Amino acid sequence: MSSEEPSPAPALAQVPPETRAKYDRLLAGLRELESVAVAFSGGVDSTLLGWAAREALGPRAVLVTADSESYAEGELDEARRLARRIGLRHVVIETRELDNPDYAANPPNRCFFCKEELFARLEPLAQAEGLHYLAYGATVDDLGDHRPGMTAARQRGVRAPLIDAGLGKAEIRDLSRAFDLPTWDKPAMACLSSRFPYGTPITAEKLRQVDRAEAAVRALGFREFRVRHHGEIARLEIAREEMPRLWVDGRAETIVERLGELGFIHVTLDLRGFRSGSLNEALLRLRARRKAGADRS
């Protein structure tokens, strides 16, 4: 580093220069917004976005969390704790996506209706608070996946500052660690509706069944996993490095027993392990086959 270049802030000294530059772009982009309501789930991405919004805008940024049936029990309390750690005002609103039959039918674009419900409820709150923009925690890694919710965001003019800064998930974790945010190593989270194959109707009862099943697995010390709901079958995806622990201290038997109490007849282990968004795989394969057929014709 030349003598003319400013030294990085102490918290960022161990972060690669390219990542620091992206964080600077994030701050600059947020300052251009002047004021913002941040959709805040308490996950890795929205927590860093909230932290940056506080640094860039101070009290002109507000964190807003949706209290929804599609989120795991305990996540709202965690979001409240994180909001206090960030130091911004935190507002909780209720969303009712299950009341929309288009969402409850669980089509491939289900996430569009989820984000549409969220942003539709955020807009009047932002207006009442005098906040100029809505922002959410989409990242550059989301651009290549099946993300119908991003369409809802674009249609409503919701900003994605992390994408604008070019930040990906690994960089967001590095920055979160540098700022000592407790989410830096938090496992990826997604709404409970993502546990159901497309076309399987979603109900509040099924969501609670999945939530309790995952709480039972989490209580045994597993970190990266999903319980996928296939009717009477629970398909357990566990990170491959964690799989050996299933066969120690009766954990597998405990899972089978607990999930059986919750109404699952069969409990299976997916040998491919945990994959975020694994229920999109069949959808992406179908699209690839259709494209290949169109190319041949």
Side-chain angles (χ1 to χ4, degrees):
M1 180 179 293
S2 69
S3 58
E4 290 80 13
E5 292 178 324
S7 298
L12 297 178
Q14 302 305 314
V15 175
E18 182 180 354
T19 303
R20 293 202 301 266
K22 290 181 180 181
Y23 185 71
D24 288 341
R25 287 203 296 273
L26 174 62
L27 295 178
L30 287 166
R31 291 184 183 113
E32 288 179 2
L33 301 182
E34 297 184 351
S35 62
V36 66
V38 176
F40 179 67
S41 67
V44 180
D45 305 326
S46 67
T47 297
L48 182 72
L49 179 57
W51 180 267
R54 178 199 56 78
E55 183 174 348
L57 297 170
R60 291 173 294 156
V62 175
L63 305 176
V64 187
T65 299
D67 184 10
S68 164
E69 293 174 304
S70 63
Y71 283 93
E73 186 176 352
E75 286 298 327
L76 179 57
D77 288 340
E78 175 69 7
R80 287 188 170 115
R81 285 191 292 271
L82 288 166
R84 289 194 293 271
R85 170 76 175 85
I86 291 168
L88 285 177
R89 191 157 67 87
H90 185 214
V91 178
V92 178
I93 61 173
E94 183 181 17
T95 56
R96 302 287 303 175
E97 51 265 33
L98 274 180
D99 291 349
N100 182 350
D102 290 326
Y103 176 92
N106 195 20
N109 64 336
R110 178 198 68 240
C111 290
F112 172 88
F113 301 108
C114 177
K115 286 293 190 290
E116 176 67 16
E117 165 75 1
L118 172 63
F119 298 143
R121 293 188 182 264
L122 277 176
E123 280 181 353
L125 183 147
Q127 291 169 1
E129 296 281 345
L131 303 172
H132 295 167
Y133 289 94
L134 306 180
Y136 76 128
T139 77
V140 294
D141 296 277
D142 297 324
L143 295 173
D145 198 1
H146 175 66
R147 300 281 181 173
M150 297 181 79
T151 301
R154 284 193 297 270
Q155 289 180 358
R156 287 189 172 268
V158 180
R159 304 299 292 266
L162 298 172
I163 291 178
D164 294 340
L167 283 164
K169 292 185 182 297
E171 295 166 314
I172 289 166
R173 288 187 183 276
D174 286 345
L175 288 165
S176 299
R177 186 173 190 175
F179 292 126
D180 198 28
L181 295 173
T183 49
W184 77 266
D185 67 341
K186 183 176 183 177
M189 56 182 286
C191 82
L192 295 171
S193 296
S194 68
R195 312 309 194 256
F196 299 83
Y198 295 122
T200 301
I202 296 172
T203 66
E205 292 74 23
K206 290 178 182 177
L207 291 171
R208 295 281 70 76
Q209 184 185 22
V210 167
D211 191 16
R212 290 167 184 154
E214 293 195 347
V217 177
R218 190 174 299 108
L220 294 172
F222 294 100
R223 297 189 77 244
E224 278 202 301
F225 67 90
R226 296 284 189 270
V227 176
R228 308 292 186 188
H229 192 295
H230 298 268
E232 295 180 341
I233 299 173
R235 177 169 60 86
L236 182 59
E237 294 180 12
I238 291 183
R240 293 178 69 89
E241 61 270 21
E242 294 191 68
M243 280 187 188
R245 300 179 58 246
L246 271 172
W247 320 116
V248 179
D249 297 331
R251 289 186 178 91
E253 292 79 5
T254 300
I255 290 172
V256 170
E257 179 181 359
R258 183 70 184 104
L259 270 59
E261 292 170 354
L262 293 171
F264 291 107
I265 304 302
H266 305 285
V267 180
T268 68
L269 175 65
D270 191 322
L271 297 180
R272 291 172 294 179
F274 166 72
R275 288 102 62 217
S276 181
S278 70
L279 290 174
N280 289 335
E281 292 169 357
L283 186 66
L284 296 174
R285 283 197 298 269
L286 177 61
R287 288 180 175 175
R289 286 198 297 269
R290 286 175 175 170
K291 183 179 186 302
D295 291 341
R296 285 194 297 270
S297 63

